[in-house]
Amino acid sequence: MYYIALIQILFSFLLPLNESVNWAQLAGKKEQNVVEPYDPDDGLSPKRPMWSARWGHSTVVFNRTSMSRNDLTAEENSNRSMHLITTLFLLGGDDYLQYKDEFSNGGFRNDVWYSEVQLRSATTWSVRHQFLTMHEKQMGLKSDVVTSNMKWFCMNEGKKSPPFWPVEHDKVGNPIAHDDWISCQDYFGEKRGRECFDKTSIEYMYKTENMWSPRRGHASAVLNGNLYVIGGRSRERVIVDHERFVGAASNRIDLNTGHRTIRESTVLKNDVWMSKDAGKTWTLVTPGCRNQQEDILIETEYMPGKTRYSTTSNGFEKFSSVKCQDSTDCYGDEVCKSLDGRSENKVCVCPLFGIREHHSLDVQHRYVKRDDGTIYSEDYLYLTGGFTQVRHEFCGNLACGNRGSYRMALDDVWVSNDGANWVQIRRATAGSPTAFKPRGGHSTNLISANSFQEEDVDRLFVFGGESVGPNNPKSEFLADMWYMELFSEPCCVRHKSCHLSSHPLTPNDLDICISKRREWIRMDLKSEIYGRAGHVSIHEPPSSMNAFKDYIYIIGGKNSTSIHSDVWSLDLTSGISWHSDISSHTSKNGDEQEFSRINSDHDYNLYYDMESNLTSLVTLRLPSTKSMDETFAVPLVFKIIEDRDIAILEELGIKTFSDLINADQRTILHLRGYDNLPGKKEKMHVKNICYVKQLIEKFNSKCFVGEMRFKTPDISDLCQDGIDPDSCILSTWDGCRPINDYTQIDIPFIHGSSVSVPAVKLDHTNDLQNMHCKYTPGPRYMASGQYADGKVLILGGQGNNPNKLYRDVWYRDDSHPTTIIKKKPKSKSSSATFVFESNEDGALQFEYKIFDQTERLDVTPWITCLKDELIDVSWLDSKKGGPGSGWYTMYVRSVDPSGNREQYFSTNTNVYTWLYIEPLPWRKIIGVSFSTIFMIFIITFELKRRKRKAALEKYHLRRLKRKFKLNSDFDEIYPKESRHHRSSVNRDTFNHAKASNGDGRKAFFLNNEKDEKTTGGGKDNWEKGHFQGTKKHKSI
């Protein structure tokens, strides 16, 4: 794998950055056709655990070793972040849904979930081992083959105060407020009663269960290894103030002060909770305040020397903050303070940030090396802006509504190094048209100093948000970007106390070690990004994967008109403008060919959806091996629709894929050159309009999951029996699709000629396989996001309407995989097996294509295969139906879980040309050889048999002649009567053999031979007898 990593690094530096990206879905209901995500609602048993669909939640990454350190270079930080297990936490949120039948479900949550994220590890994705037929391989990717292994675990299911005291308590039956439930927390110190120390008491048991109340719009962070949750809009049981039951009447109603009214209500919070065990148990750091901070009180309700919203001389008579004598009269951290120096006008003032929601929270990690070589580290927590509620109206001496009647955006900045003691860096002001405006629903990113920055300072960036206030009730959605410069060394360096333990920050530290300038500095950026709030902002630190650049990403959000789904990125090291992930294809005039050539710096992964512009529709041609001499080659890109035809389409209002696929029959026929549109004197002819329309229809079927948004009805299904076929076709035909048994059709609004019906279906295989589906998380508001394990993640959020809540996890993938042909056949041989390998562990699918160099034709389309699969292309053999021996080129590209494919081709990596020689037909050769040997053996045996037979017959003939001669001699020797007797016997035998065999002479001699053998006769005996007889005859 080392050589693959080296190639990947070479790609990141030598090749241009990608112009478009795609998203991979890790979890949730399946919304793409590439992989199978972790779906808790897939019906499997046991049910997969996962948090509910929600918005307004928060997420954190719990892994200190993955955080960038400002005392290290970008390269060192990049090396530290490799191969780490990152734990992603999700906390709280709102999963309330209102249904049409007025039934509602869900609400505020305070549960804690976590998942281990290893996106650069092979454990994140796996392959379902299943057999893919050749048809499935040629049809493209199987989305259920690669599955996500993401798992979610519930660390804390969430708890809240019970409605009443239990029967074991002396206050049984009385309602319990949230403040009663947490009254035994260590924060309250000496204010706690004795029951808080009795391990058998109800109060002590509640202390072990205490945690932050269910909420949304809060913020969370990891500070010094501990998990923090701060502020937000909470739903808890609170004591209702008496004044809330008093209307604007002349006679005030006095309530029974001994009776408490407790109701479950939504309230803004600024409390701080901490967990040392990753969210399992929680400790109250501070309950926060109920009253506002000093600058907000002064800005909204009181200005020294005059009353702001009252006609009386004393503005404090109508001041919303609680009057007090000392701090014991105030709640939580509030202090009793006079804002005008008059002791009789003391009110409770919050010494830390006031109650709020949709604020931002960032952690700065400061490091310094001590004299003894050890590292001293300290974290600083920065809280910025948000929405609060302030009092705006007074009705004489009576209150109108509650204290927080109007929403107000804030622009203050606070810092803390322990979560309990906060120092205000910037005061909350009303702002001005030319200055930094107050905002909520914004985003911030704290970026550490690195080797690319000239100044050794960290920067706190803020983008966008919604600006609103009592004096400006109309919301303004912002798209500006500002930053504040912060010191990068711990405060102990300036105090020369790094050998000691950390101390809480004080206001004296502000100019010494917190911020060089306590002002926002505006960045002059050129972009077309829309103003928005409730978006996700994520920082990608420098690493070897992004050529050591700093990126900030903006995802989604909403403005006054819509919820966005776009993604923007900003390169902080060199960029001066935002860059959209979704970019249109640019073109220039090219050669006089069927297609116009696209410029050479084009992105070669063609991502489309049904809202893509028709001008971006292009076709690809793979590069030749001659262009890959020790370099990386790119495909040739050509336009499918000419500029002239684009102008015709735009004149008719057809600009996007969906416009064309939804065009009516009359418009399509007009684009085919038939004059039928009213008011159009000139015929408009787009020569390949039917090819383009059918291509987009097939692409739509390829990309969408479930029921398609743009489905063209099938004529054969619509025109059933009993319906006039001509009228049915006229009403359902789209103007392009072939119709069985029809070559022409009469259209009523076409005068003078019939309309030709395309005869055959067009082949879109090549273009369709190079059109890749563009997948994004979609429009969402108040989602959450993190940078984890080298990827930008987004979780949950609200869709286009309040009842569209997401329960999913996506990550942005702008890296394209690199393929190595691990095993390949030798040239000039009959071997034909390949094995492919990718630099991405999640790229478990591959696509390969074989090109015939001799015929200059594609032998195959792109065929899908799996990792570690042995690819056998022996079917090239002509004996198996293939094209036979010759020069072939194998192109291969890997496919990652987002659908990204290879952009570049090289003979060093993913292209291989070899001379394939058909193997000898050994089976036939062996079979023929055995058959030949067998036939030779049979023939030889038969020849020998016949030869023996012929020799035997020849021998018998010779014997027959000899016997005939001997018989003649016998007749001469023996007497006449003996001869007569013997000849009659022999003559009968001869006649009988002739009758049965047809050859009396032959049978006769054979019988004689048998007789001679059985009687001991034969030549020798006969000659012996003949000699004896002759001898006897002579003697007589």
Side-chain angles (χ1 to χ4, degrees), residues 712-731:
T712 303
D714 191 280
I715 294 179
S716 61
D717 293 337
L718 295 177
C719 300
Q720 301 291 339
D721 296 338
I723 302 177
D724 181 25
D726 292 335
S727 60
C728 178
I729 289 173
L730 286 177
S731 61

Side-chain angles (χ1 to χ4, degrees), residues 358-377:
H358 302 313
H359 46 285
S360 64
L361 204 60
D362 294 272
V363 179
Q364 181 188 26
H365 311 284
R366 298 189 179 188
Y367 302 85
V368 67
K369 183 176 291 187
R370 295 189 178 102
D371 295 336
D372 58 0
T374 59
I375 299 296
Y376 175 86
S377 64

Side-chain angles (χ1 to χ4, degrees), residues 346 359 479 530 656 787:
K346 289 183 178 181
H359 46 285
Y530 300 108
T656 65
Y787 182 79

